[in-house]
Coordinates of all heavy atoms in Angstrom, one line a residue:
A1 N 0.8 -1.2 0.0 CA 0.0 0.0 0.0 C 0.9 1.3 0.0 O 0.6 2.2 -0.7 CB -0.9 0.0 1.2
F2 N 2.0 1.2 0.8 CA 2.9 2.4 0.8 C 3.7 2.5 -0.5 O 3.9 3.6 -1.0 CB 3.8 2.3 2.0 CG 3.1 2.4 3.3 CD1 2.7 1.3 4.0 CD2 3.0 3.7 3.9 CE1 2.0 1.4 5.2 CE2 2.4 3.8 5.1 CZ 1.9 2.7 5.8
I3 N 4.1 1.3 -1.0 CA 4.8 1.3 -2.3 C 4.0 1.8 -3.4 O 4.4 2.5 -4.3 CB 5.4 -0.1 -2.6 CG1 6.4 -0.5 -1.6 CG2 6.0 -0.2 -4.0 CD1 7.0 -1.9 -1.7
A4 N 2.7 1.5 -3.4 CA 1.8 2.0 -4.4 C 1.7 3.5 -4.5 O 1.7 4.1 -5.6 CB 0.4 1.4 -4.2
E5 N 1.7 4.1 -3.3 CA 1.7 5.6 -3.3 C 3.0 6.2 -3.8 O 3.0 7.2 -4.4 CB 1.4 6.1 -1.8 CG 0.0 5.9 -1.4 CD -1.0 6.6 -2.3 OE1 -1.3 7.8 -2.0 OE2 -1.6 6.0 -3.2
I6 N 4.1 5.5 -3.5 CA 5.4 5.9 -3.9 C 5.5 5.9 -5.5 O 5.9 6.8 -6.1 CB 6.5 5.1 -3.3 CG1 6.6 5.3 -1.8 CG2 7.9 5.4 -4.0 CD1 7.5 4.4 -1.1
V7 N 5.0 4.8 -6.0 CA 4.9 4.6 -7.5 C 4.0 5.6 -8.1 O 4.4 6.2 -9.1 CB 4.5 3.2 -7.8 CG1 4.3 3.0 -9.3 CG2 5.5 2.1 -7.4
R8 N 2.9 5.9 -7.5 CA 2.0 6.9 -8.1 C 2.6 8.3 -8.1 O 2.5 9.0 -9.1 CB 0.7 6.9 -7.3 CG -0.4 7.8 -7.8 CD -1.7 7.6 -7.1 NE -1.7 8.1 -5.8 CZ -2.1 9.4 -5.4 NH1 -2.6 10.2 -6.4 NH2 -2.0 9.8 -4.2
A9 N 3.3 8.6 -7.0 CA 3.9 9.9 -6.9 C 5.1 10.0 -8.0 O 5.3 11.1 -8.6 CB 4.5 10.1 -5.5
G10 N 5.8 8.9 -8.1 CA 6.9 8.9 -9.1 C 6.4 9.1 -10.5 O 7.0 9.8 -11.3
I11 N 5.2 8.4 -10.9 CA 4.6 8.6 -12.2 C 4.1 10.0 -12.4 O 4.3 10.6 -13.5 CB 3.5 7.6 -12.4 CG1 4.1 6.2 -12.4 CG2 2.8 7.8 -13.7 CD1 3.0 5.1 -12.4
L12 N 3.5 10.6 -11.4 CA 3.0 11.9 -11.5 C 4.1 13.0 -11.6 O 3.8 14.1 -12.1 CB 2.1 12.3 -10.3 CG 0.7 11.5 -10.2 CD1 0.0 11.8 -9.0 CD2 -0.1 11.8 -11.5
A13 N 5.3 12.6 -11.1 CA 6.4 13.5 -11.2 C 6.9 13.7 -12.6 O 7.7 14.6 -12.9 CB 7.5 13.1 -10.3
I14 N 6.6 12.8 -13.5 CA 7.0 12.8 -14.9 C 6.1 13.7 -15.7 O 4.8 13.6 -15.6 CB 7.1 11.4 -15.5 CG1 7.9 10.5 -14.7 CG2 7.6 11.5 -17.0 CD1 9.4 11.0 -14.5
S15 N 6.6 14.6 -16.5 CA 5.8 15.5 -17.3 C 4.9 14.8 -18.3 O 5.3 13.8 -18.8 CB 6.7 16.5 -18.0 OG 6.0 17.3 -19.0
K16 N 3.7 15.3 -18.4 CA 2.8 14.7 -19.4 C 3.3 14.8 -20.8 O 2.9 14.0 -21.7 CB 1.4 15.4 -19.3 CG 0.7 15.1 -18.0 CD -0.7 15.7 -18.0 CE -1.5 15.3 -16.8 NZ -2.8 15.9 -16.8
G17 N 4.2 15.7 -21.0 CA 4.8 15.8 -22.4 C 5.6 14.6 -22.8 O 5.7 14.3 -24.0
Q18 N 6.1 13.8 -21.8 CA 6.8 12.6 -22.1 C 5.8 11.6 -22.7 O 6.1 10.9 -23.7 CB 7.4 12.0 -20.9 CG 8.5 12.9 -20.3 CD 9.7 12.9 -21.1 OE1 10.1 11.9 -21.7 NE2 10.3 14.1 -21.2
T19 N 4.6 11.5 -22.1 CA 3.6 10.6 -22.7 C 3.1 11.0 -24.0 O 3.0 10.2 -25.0 CB 2.4 10.5 -21.7 OG1 2.8 10.1 -20.4 CG2 1.3 9.6 -22.2
E20 N 2.9 12.3 -24.2 CA 2.5 12.8 -25.5 C 3.6 12.6 -26.6 O 3.2 12.3 -27.7 CB 2.1 14.3 -25.4 CG 1.0 14.6 -24.4 CD 0.8 16.0 -24.2 OE1 1.6 16.8 -24.6 OE2 -0.2 16.4 -23.5
A21 N 4.8 12.8 -26.2 CA 5.9 12.6 -27.2 C 6.0 11.1 -27.6 O 6.2 10.8 -28.8 CB 7.2 13.1 -26.6
A22 N 5.9 10.2 -26.6 CA 5.9 8.8 -26.9 C 4.8 8.4 -27.8 O 4.9 7.6 -28.8 CB 5.9 8.0 -25.6
A23 N 3.6 8.9 -27.5 CA 2.4 8.6 -28.4 C 2.6 9.2 -29.8 O 2.2 8.5 -30.8 CB 1.1 9.2 -27.7
A24 N 3.2 10.3 -29.9 CA 3.5 10.9 -31.2 C 4.4 10.1 -32.1 O 4.4 10.1 -33.3 CB 4.0 12.4 -31.1
L25 N 5.3 9.4 -31.4 CA 6.3 8.5 -32.1 C 5.6 7.1 -32.4 O 6.3 6.3 -33.1 CB 7.5 8.2 -31.2 CG 8.4 9.5 -30.9 CD1 9.5 9.1 -29.9 CD2 9.0 9.9 -32.3
G26 N 4.4 6.9 -32.1 CA 3.7 5.7 -32.4 C 3.8 4.6 -31.4 O 3.5 3.4 -31.7
I27 N 4.3 4.9 -30.2 CA 4.4 3.8 -29.2 C 3.1 3.5 -28.7 O 2.3 4.4 -28.4 CB 5.4 4.3 -28.1 CG1 6.8 4.6 -28.7 CG2 5.5 3.2 -27.0 CD1 7.8 5.1 -27.7
K28 N 2.8 2.2 -28.5 CA 1.5 1.8 -28.0 C 1.3 2.3 -26.5 O 2.3 2.3 -25.8 CB 1.3 0.3 -28.1 CG 1.4 -0.2 -29.5 CD 1.2 -1.7 -29.6 CE 1.2 -2.2 -31.0 NZ 1.1 -3.7 -31.1
P29 N 0.1 2.6 -26.1 CA -0.1 3.1 -24.8 C 0.4 2.1 -23.7 O 0.9 2.6 -22.7 CB -1.7 3.2 -24.7 CG -2.1 3.5 -26.1 CD -1.1 2.7 -27.0
R30 N 0.2 0.8 -23.9 CA 0.7 -0.1 -22.9 C 2.2 -0.1 -22.8 O 2.7 -0.4 -21.7 CB 0.2 -1.5 -23.2 CG -1.3 -1.7 -23.0 CD -1.8 -3.1 -23.4 NE -1.6 -3.4 -24.8 CZ -1.9 -4.5 -25.4 NH1 -2.4 -5.5 -24.7 NH2 -1.7 -4.7 -26.7
R31 N 2.9 0.2 -23.9 CA 4.3 0.2 -23.8 C 4.9 1.5 -23.3 O 6.0 1.6 -22.9 CB 4.9 -0.1 -25.3 CG 4.4 -1.4 -25.9 CD 5.1 -2.5 -25.2 NE 6.5 -2.6 -25.7 CZ 7.4 -3.4 -25.2 NH1 7.1 -4.2 -24.2 NH2 8.6 -3.5 -25.7
I32 N 4.1 2.6 -23.4 CA 4.6 3.9 -23.0 C 4.9 3.8 -21.5 O 5.9 4.4 -21.0 CB 3.5 5.0 -23.2 CG1 3.4 5.2 -24.7 CG2 3.9 6.3 -22.5 CD1 2.3 6.2 -25.1
M33 N 4.1 3.2 -20.7 CA 4.3 3.1 -19.2 C 5.6 2.3 -18.9 O 6.4 2.8 -18.1 CB 3.1 2.4 -18.6 CG 3.2 2.3 -17.1 SD 3.4 3.9 -16.2 CE 1.8 4.6 -16.5
S34 N 5.8 1.2 -19.6 CA 7.0 0.4 -19.3 C 8.3 0.9 -19.9 O 9.3 0.7 -19.3 CB 6.7 -1.1 -19.7 OG 6.5 -1.1 -21.1
L35 N 8.2 1.5 -21.0 CA 9.4 2.0 -21.7 C 9.8 3.4 -21.5 O 11.0 3.8 -21.6 CB 9.2 1.7 -23.3 CG 9.1 0.3 -23.7 CD1 8.9 0.2 -25.2 CD2 10.3 -0.6 -23.3
V36 N 8.8 4.2 -21.2 CA 9.1 5.7 -21.1 C 8.9 6.2 -19.7 O 9.8 6.8 -19.1 CB 8.2 6.5 -22.1 CG1 8.4 8.0 -21.9 CG2 8.4 6.0 -23.5
I37 N 7.7 6.0 -19.1 CA 7.3 6.6 -17.8 C 8.1 6.0 -16.6 O 8.8 6.6 -15.9 CB 5.8 6.5 -17.6 CG1 5.1 7.2 -18.8 CG2 5.4 7.2 -16.3 CD1 5.5 8.6 -19.0
L38 N 7.9 4.6 -16.5 CA 8.5 4.0 -15.3 C 10.0 4.1 -15.2 O 10.6 4.4 -14.1 CB 8.1 2.5 -15.2 CG 6.6 2.3 -14.7 CD1 6.3 0.8 -14.7 CD2 6.4 2.8 -13.3
P39 N 10.7 3.9 -16.3 CA 12.2 4.1 -16.2 C 12.6 5.5 -15.7 O 13.6 5.6 -15.0 CB 12.7 3.9 -17.7 CG 11.6 3.0 -18.3 CD 10.4 3.4 -17.7
Q40 N 11.9 6.5 -16.1 CA 12.2 7.9 -15.6 C 11.7 8.1 -14.2 O 12.3 8.8 -13.4 CB 11.5 8.9 -16.5 CG 12.1 8.9 -18.0 CD 11.4 10.0 -18.8 OE1 11.8 11.2 -18.6 NE2 10.5 9.7 -19.7
A41 N 10.7 7.4 -13.8 CA 10.1 7.5 -12.5 C 11.0 6.8 -11.4 O 10.8 7.1 -10.2 CB 8.7 7.0 -12.4
L42 N 11.8 5.9 -11.9 CA 12.6 5.2 -10.9 C 13.5 6.1 -10.0 O 13.7 5.8 -8.9 CB 13.5 4.2 -11.7 CG 12.8 2.9 -12.2 CD1 13.8 2.0 -12.9 CD2 12.2 2.1 -11.0
R43 N 14.0 7.2 -10.6 CA 14.9 8.0 -9.8 C 14.1 8.7 -8.7 O 14.7 9.1 -7.7 CB 15.5 9.1 -10.7 CG 14.5 10.0 -11.5 CD 15.1 10.8 -12.6 NE 14.1 11.6 -13.3 CZ 13.7 12.8 -13.0 NH1 14.2 13.4 -11.9 NH2 12.8 13.4 -13.8
V44 N 12.8 8.8 -8.8 CA 11.9 9.3 -7.7 C 11.4 8.2 -6.8 O 11.3 8.4 -5.6 CB 10.7 10.1 -8.3 CG1 9.8 10.6 -7.2 CG2 11.2 11.2 -9.3
I45 N 11.3 7.0 -7.4 CA 10.7 5.9 -6.6 C 11.7 5.2 -5.7 O 11.3 4.9 -4.5 CB 10.1 4.9 -7.6 CG1 8.9 5.5 -8.4 CG2 9.7 3.6 -6.9 CD1 8.3 4.6 -9.5
I46 N 12.9 5.0 -6.2 CA 13.8 4.1 -5.4 C 14.2 4.7 -4.0 O 14.2 3.9 -3.1 CB 15.1 3.9 -6.3 CG1 14.7 3.0 -7.5 CG2 16.1 3.2 -5.5 CD1 15.8 2.6 -8.4

């Protein structure tokens, strides 16, 4: 339950522009989270 809040905060810390840029490149929505958002959120999560 605590880790979930940490992960949520880490994801929200990433600019929405990253998601929009990934979508503009044609990356599927399911892959955007694993390839773009979570790797950048790790620096906030760990």
Side-chain angles (χ1 to χ4, degrees):
F2 293 90
I3 294 178
E5 288 299 276
I6 294 173
V7 172
R8 185 171 71 95
I11 294 174
L12 292 176
I14 305 302
S15 171
K16 290 184 178 180
Q18 297 291 320
T19 302
E20 296 171 355
L25 292 174
I27 302 178
K28 297 179 180 180
R30 289 179 297 180
R31 302 285 287 172
I32 292 177
M33 180 61 68
S34 60
L35 295 179
V36 179
I37 304 302
L38 282 180
Q40 296 183 71
L42 283 177
R43 59 191 176 91
V44 179
I45 293 173
I46 291 180

